[in-house]
Amino acid sequence: MEQKSKTKRLVVSAIMIGLAAVLSMIKVWKMPLGGSITLLSMLPICMLSIKYGVKWGLFSAFVYALVQIVLDLGELMSWGMTFKIWIGCIVFDYLLAYTSIGLAGLFKSKGIGGSVGGIPVALAVRFVCHVISGTFFFDIWCPDGWSVIPYSICYNGAYMLPEMIFTVIASVIILGVPQTRKLMLQK
């Protein structure tokens, strides 16, 4: 029985990571220097964390981060970044930012409210990762007259805030369905 549940978890995770990758390609709005509002691309990873816990959520989100790097590699290479900026971008905008989505299951033990409440926390951590990257690695694109930290907050907030709101609303709808809620919150 134990092997069957591990296999099921791996299969469900692979499907959800694949779904998240496909949804990430459906861009509702794309920012000029990276970042976009997608069709709920973070929701499948959040649901994995809620279903299987933060440890598994972080692992799944890390795998998703690697997938995102592969999907965006061509665009990243075309920006003409220095090696230092490229590494900073990979670490903060991809590895740390996308892996942080796995924190969504932090408050699962608090029921549906906790499950939904973990999502904005996880996405806020992702936002902070992007702001750090913008502040330290992409400060060259800060417009004249702006301070780099407020600019990074505004730039990254322009896509992360709507993405967070849409993801939370979708999670409320999904977890509001009794059958889905039972499936997601059962041990």
Side-chain angles (χ1 to χ4, degrees):
M1 187 67 158
E2 173 93 15
Q3 183 63 29
K4 186 176 178 180
S5 69
K6 284 181 181 178
T7 302
K8 180 181 175 183
R9 183 186 333 182
L10 280 173
V11 170
V12 168
S13 298
I15 291 168
M16 296 298 262
I17 292 167
L19 177 61
V22 169
L23 291 173
S24 76
M25 292 182 217
I26 304 171
K27 295 179 182 353
V28 177
W29 184 46
K30 186 171 168 55
M31 297 290 286
L33 300 171
S36 59
I37 300 171
T38 64
L39 187 61
L40 302 171
S41 64
M42 296 184 289
L43 186 61
I45 307 303
C46 292
M47 291 296 140
L48 280 173
S49 182
I50 292 167
K51 172 73 176 158
Y52 295 116
V54 173
K55 185 176 177 182
W56 188 260
L58 288 169
F59 170 73
S60 300
F62 178 75
V63 172
Y64 178 59
L66 297 176
V67 169
Q68 285 300 310
I69 291 169
V70 170
L71 290 175
D72 291 349
L73 194 58
E75 185 177 352
L76 284 173
M77 297 302 279
S78 72
W79 287 6
M81 296 183 275
T82 65
F83 184 72
K84 175 186 155 195
I85 293 173
W86 195 80
I87 293 299
C89 177
I90 293 294
V91 170
F92 284 93
D93 283 323
Y94 286 89
L95 295 176
L96 293 176
Y98 284 103
T99 300
S100 68
I101 301 169
L103 296 171
L106 269 176
F107 308 117
K108 174 187 175 179
S109 64
K110 306 284 188 223
I112 189 170
S115 295
V116 171
I119 293 172
V121 171
L123 302 188
V125 173
R126 179 180 170 196
F127 170 72
V128 168
C129 292
H130 290 305
V131 168
I132 291 169
S133 176
T135 301
F136 291 103
F137 303 109
F138 294 101
D139 59 333
I140 59 170
W141 284 303
C142 182
D144 291 336
W146 277 77
S147 177
V148 71
I149 295 173
Y151 173 71
S152 186
I153 290 169
C154 290
Y155 181 89
N156 290 293
Y159 69 92
M160 281 301 303
L161 184 60
E163 185 90 3
M164 181 188 303
I165 291 168
F166 296 145
T167 303
V168 169
I169 290 170
S171 70
V172 168
I173 292 168
I174 288 172
L175 292 172
V177 176
Q179 295 85 351
T180 308
R181 181 174 50 249
K182 180 180 176 189
L183 179 69
M184 293 303 296
L185 299 179
Q186 73 183 0
K187 298 248 183 209

